Amino acid sequence: MLVEIAMREADDLSDPRFHGDLMLTRGGAYAADGQVSAALADFQKAHQSFVEAQDQRGQAVALVRLASLYREGGDFAGSLRYYRQAEEAFQSDPGLLLSIYNGRGNVLNEMNRFPEASAAFIKALQYAPRDEAAVRVRILANLARAQLNARRVDAAADTVAAGMRLAEGAEAKEIRSQIYSVAARVQLERGNLSAARTLIERSFDGIPPTETTLAMRDNHLVAARIYQRSGESEKAVEHLLALRRLDEQALSVATSAKAALMGARFDFQNQELRIARLKAEELRRNVEFERSRTRFQQILFGGIAAAVAILIGLLTFGLVTIRRSRNEVRAVNVDLGIANTSLEKALAAKTEFLATTSHEIRTPLNGILGMTQVMLADSALEPATRERVDIVHAAGMRMRGMVDDILDVAKMENGHFTIDTTIVDLPATLQEATRLWEEQAQGRGIAFSLECADVPQWIESDPTRLRQIVFNLLSNALKFTHAGSIGVRAAAVGEGDRRRLQIVVHDTGIGIPADKHAQIFESFRQVDAGTTRQYGGTGLGLTICRNLAVALGGTIQVESVEGEGSTFTVDLPLVEAPAPVMVDAGQGEAAGMLVLDRNPIVRGMMRTLFAPHVLDLRFAASLEEALDELARGGIARVLIDEAALAAGTDDPKLRVEPIASAACAAGATTAILWPNLDEATRAALKAAGLDQVIGKPVSGARLVEALFTTKRGNPADSPLVSRAA
Ligand code: ADP
């Protein structure tokens, strides 16, 4: 009860050492009461508490208690183990060491390991205090018993003698009882029956055999043997019965202790089993974990490997596909290249063909035209024949126009095409380009207008190209307009660098369907076949216009409503130029210059080229017109184009004669433009009285230079393409 109260307080205090002491006390109480299991549990708790408190002495005490419990339970090996642990745990307390070695001796004795038991008791004696007679007597009795068991009767006799001496002064009866019992046994071993009898009777010291305790078990055993030997059977039986009582008592204690120990051990084993199972479980889990980790790794690596494989596959596929498509593209490109080359060759061949054929046609055509011109110049010609020849001449002229167009396009496509920028009198150029068409329009009752007041007079451009564009657009306008009006309007739009020149040619003609607007600018394309039948043409005019506009850095666009009319807008860069200084290159009082050229475009071009240099610039389309102009007077110089001369003969001298002599008579100098000039022709022309012979083709700039600079070179060598048609 007291222990329980202390327990509660100990719990409150929660001091492990105090708790350990309490457990030892309670365990001791349980052990004394025969409650081995409870005692065992308490001793174990006590040991645990002392471990917590790091109290080694306490731990050793608990271990000694456990060892004695195991000894009672008959588990001698376990008991020895605890004693050894107790000995290792704490060695500084002699009292504790005494009980450890005494205990060990008892266990070893019961294990029939008598010499070891004797050694243990001798060690115990070393730690037994000299003044503690009772303790020393008990140990000596134990030693003597071990010696007797080991058949060392003399040694036992000595030990007993020592014990007997100490016991004389001892107070406790039980102590004396023990040593007397062993002494009796020594006498019995030695055959001194009576001495043995006396000693054993003294050991009981008047305690009846029926009331002895377990501590006197050995006494009963010795007494029974002595009485058997002495023939006192009754007494022997009496002690044998007492022995059986005590053995039964010991057995029950041992059994309960053993049962408790067994239980503890069973629990321990269970515990071990559980631990083993847990370990196995843990191991299994570890194995499982390792396995799953391995599996995961396998899956991971497998996945990665698969992904890599797929990636490689895809890359390979991609590469193969790319390579294949690249090869295909390459093959297609090669095919395309071949096709392009063949196409280019075909186009070049076509252009070449057109150029050569046109040129070839042009030469005999010039012959025909020259002859018709000669015939028409004959005043004796009958009117009916004149009319027919006139038709042939007109048809020939149209034909030459076409051939010229073809030649132009061929040149553009061959790249033999340049732009000659010079200072241009824009209003004059436009007037020149429109004059012919204005006359035609008026003749057909179609209103004609030219608006160019808003544009600067002098600009930088190529006058020939400008004129060609306007000329072609007006040619179409007149061709496709039956009534209404035709107008040309030039205007400057925009500001600064973005200033543009817009030339708009408008008509109220048949118009062009919207879906044909793009197509009409392609070469040889017309709105439909009916156009050719009704209006003729080659389908090259707008192609030339577009190429020229682009070459001048501009564009051409069409707006048209079928049946209402068309508007062509040419948009070009506008670069204003300062007015040129007029230079009168004429001689004497005469300042005029006459140009004989049958081609109106070329005439327009020349007007633009020469206007800055000549105050009185006149033009003639035929020999007759030229002779008329010379007759009017005021002409200081004449420029003759070979194409304007009669083509009746191949002799250059004969061909130039009429105009050369007329010019000479008028006192004008002469210059002639001659195609494919060779030295013989040049000499012949010079011999015919011409002052200057210029080979064609020649650029406008070189022509101006040749005509208007004092140092006269020979521009016939110029490689530049002629602007003349
Ligand atoms: P061509 O006039 O020699 O046939 P073009 O290239 O100059 O060739 O013109 C191509 C076609 O565009 C013409 O045949 C005609 O059908 C159409 N066209 C051009 N200008 C006009 C216009 N002012 N009015 C109506 N149709 C036109």
Side-chain angles (χ1 to χ4, degrees), residues 405 472-473 475-481 507 509-512 516 519-528 531-532 535-544 560 565-568:
D405 277 355
N472 276 338
L473 290 176
S475 158
N476 281 341
L478 234 85
K479 190 159 59 172
F480 298 108
T481 305
D507 68 60
I510 58 168
I512 305 154
K516 307 283 182 186
Q519 168 186 315
I520 53 170
F521 291 100
E522 292 171 21
S523 25
F524 303 106
R525 291 298 285 268
Q526 296 176 318
V527 167
D528 57 48
T531 313
T532 325
Y535 302 97
T538 53
L540 286 173
L542 288 177
T543 311
I544 292 168
S560 181
S566 313
T567 305
F568 287 86

Side-chain angles (χ1 to χ4, degrees), residues 64-210:
V64 168
R65 292 294 179 88
L66 280 164
S68 67
L69 262 189
Y70 271 73
R71 182 190 155 208
E72 277 182 38
D75 182 347
F76 303 126
S79 179
L80 278 180
R81 197 171 64 235
Y82 279 120
Y83 279 127
R84 197 172 52 250
Q85 285 179 10
E87 187 188 354
E88 285 165 5
F90 197 73
Q91 295 188 331
S92 325
D93 185 344
L96 199 62
L97 285 169
L98 164 72
S99 49
I100 288 170
Y101 293 122
N102 186 54
R104 272 187 70 176
N106 284 327
V107 174
L108 290 165
N109 201 28
E110 291 191 67
M111 291 171 85
N112 297 330
R113 290 156 66 177
F114 306 120
E116 288 171 79
S118 301
F121 288 129
I122 290 165
K123 249 184 166 177
L125 270 176
Q126 288 170 8
Y127 294 104
R130 295 276 158 202
D131 54 343
E132 290 270 352
V135 175
R136 290 186 73 87
V137 170
R138 193 196 294 170
I139 296 167
L140 285 168
N142 286 340
L143 176 61
R145 223 179 272 133
Q147 289 166 330
L148 280 171
N149 289 342
R151 302 264 159 229
R152 291 168 62 202
V153 181
D154 292 341
D158 291 345
T159 306
V160 166
M164 288 289 277
R165 274 195 304 274
L166 280 171
E168 293 304 320
E171 290 175 9
K173 280 185 187 172
E174 314 87 73
I175 304 299
R176 281 203 297 271
S177 153
Q178 293 279 314
I179 195 75
Y180 287 148
S181 160
V182 187
R185 198 176 147 194
V186 169
Q187 295 306 323
L188 183 67
E189 292 292 331
R190 284 190 170 162
N192 300 328
L193 200 59
S194 65
R197 205 168 172 277
T198 309
L199 282 166
I200 200 73
E201 277 176 5
R202 278 176 72 182
S203 84
F204 283 101
D205 195 26
I207 302 169
T210 49

Side-chain angles (χ1 to χ4, degrees), residues 415-438:
H416 298 141
F417 173 75
T418 51
I419 293 293
D420 258 332
T421 305
T422 182
I423 296 172
V424 181
D425 183 345
L426 185 58
T429 306
L430 291 173
Q431 277 156 13
E432 172 67 27
T434 54
R435 192 190 293 161
L436 174 77
W437 306 109
E438 187 176 1

Side-chain angles (χ1 to χ4, degrees), residues 6-76:
M7 275 287 298
R8 277 197 293 277
E9 282 177 15
D11 279 347
D12 290 344
L13 289 167
S14 64
D15 175 0
R17 182 176 293 154
F18 185 49
H19 184 257
D21 283 335
L22 282 174
M23 286 295 103
L24 276 183
T25 312
R26 198 174 72 173
Y30 283 137
D33 201 29
Q35 296 184 46
V36 181
S37 311
L40 191 72
D42 279 358
F43 291 150
Q44 281 172 340
K45 281 180 197 162
H47 180 260
Q48 191 56 44
S49 294
F50 289 127
V51 169
E52 277 175 45
Q54 297 183 332
D55 181 347
Q56 287 169 327
R57 188 183 176 279
Q59 289 170 40
V61 172
L63 288 166
V64 168
R65 292 294 179 88
L66 280 164
S68 67
L69 262 189
Y70 271 73
R71 182 190 155 208
E72 277 182 38
D75 182 347
F76 303 126

